[in-house]
Amino acid sequence: MRIIIMSLKCFVKVGSVNNLSDARYFSAMNVNLLGFKLMDKNEDSITLESLNEIKNWISGVEIIGEFGNSNINYINGFIKNFSFDYIQVNYPCLIEDVEFDKNKVILNINEFKKINPENILDDLLVNYKDVFLINIDFKNEESLILSNKLFEKNFKVLNGFNHSIPFIKTMINQKKFYGISIKGNNEIRPGYKDYSSFSDVLEFLNETN
């Protein structure tokens, strides 16, 4: 019997994964990228040993090392010991010092309370023009303004700020976003998770019509 794997309606990145339950669930849902939380001095991050163990349980999904605001030396040390498909760092970051293909770097923008889209655009165009994706991960009125500005400058943008199905439908129809990003979370207890907060969006994206 031939197994047909359905593709989602748009590109989906899942980040902040730190347990096997999330890794297996989201890879089974056919997401494109799976990001593991690897920040330095963060109690929710996983170890290299755990990451290697989890990798053996999943397939069909590319792996991101999510390093947040970690020290450059820490990042470079980690990526020498694991073959990541992509890495993610928080803006701003001296990515020229990161020993990784810049075309496979995801830039996460998540800490802005008030931003000037024009000023940040200048910086992104000069210092981050080669990154693979920019993930907009803060929720205020400026998030949509910035995402529109980035789209106009031909950046590939992930919507990490509005997961309502009506907005995602509009997003897909207008093709202004490369895709969406969602976050995993901690297990309630080992082997037990509640996925109700993700199910509606993923079910919609898995629908054939």
Side-chain angles (χ1 to χ4, degrees), residues 21-188:
S21 297
D22 274 0
R24 296 184 70 178
Y25 173 79
F26 288 114
S27 62
M29 294 299 288
N30 305 323
V31 303
N32 301 90
L33 301 178
L34 200 59
F36 289 90
K37 187 180 288 188
L38 298 168
M39 282 79 87
D40 189 18
K41 300 176 182 178
N42 182 298
E43 62 181 14
D44 291 329
S45 293
I46 64 171
T47 63
L48 178 61
E49 180 182 10
S50 295
L51 180 58
N52 277 310
E53 290 176 357
I54 291 173
K55 182 183 179 182
N56 294 328
W57 284 91
I58 59 176
S59 62
V61 61
E62 293 187 295
I63 293 177
I64 311 166
E66 295 187 334
F67 294 101
N69 298 314
S70 298
N71 178 275
I72 296 295
N73 291 332
Y74 171 83
I75 297 173
N76 287 337
F78 212 110
I79 61 182
K80 288 177 181 177
N81 291 291
F82 191 90
S83 297
F84 293 104
D85 297 296
Y86 300 90
I87 66 168
Q88 177 175 295
V89 294
N90 284 354
Y91 176 85
C93 175
L94 296 174
I95 62 169
E96 64 269 19
D97 294 334
V98 178
E99 297 170 356
F100 200 79
D101 184 349
K102 304 306 179 287
N103 295 128
K104 295 185 176 182
V105 171
I106 298 170
L107 187 67
N108 187 49
I109 303 178
N110 71 338
E111 295 182 320
F112 289 93
K113 295 181 180 179
K114 293 182 179 180
I115 64 169
N116 183 324
E118 296 297 337
N119 289 346
I120 192 176
L121 271 176
D122 290 341
D123 186 30
L124 293 172
L125 286 166
V126 172
N127 297 307
Y128 302 91
K129 57 183 175 57
D130 295 326
V131 298
F132 173 48
L133 295 171
I134 293 183
N135 184 48
I136 306 296
D137 193 31
F138 63 99
K139 297 180 174 75
N140 60 29
E141 65 268 17
E142 284 89 4
S143 57
L144 185 56
I145 294 172
L146 178 59
S147 65
N148 286 332
K149 294 288 185 180
L150 290 170
F151 173 77
E152 291 171 3
K153 298 298 183 181
N154 298 316
F155 283 102
K156 294 178 180 177
V157 182
L158 293 181
N159 159 28
F161 58 89
N162 189 335
H163 295 148
S164 70
I165 290 177
F167 185 85
I168 293 176
K169 285 181 178 179
T170 301
M171 178 195 94
I172 293 171
N173 291 334
Q174 293 183 350
K175 299 180 180 179
K176 286 189 174 183
F177 290 88
Y178 192 73
I180 69 169
S181 66
I182 57 181
K183 292 181 180 179
N185 50 40
N186 294 337
E187 291 179 303
I188 297 172

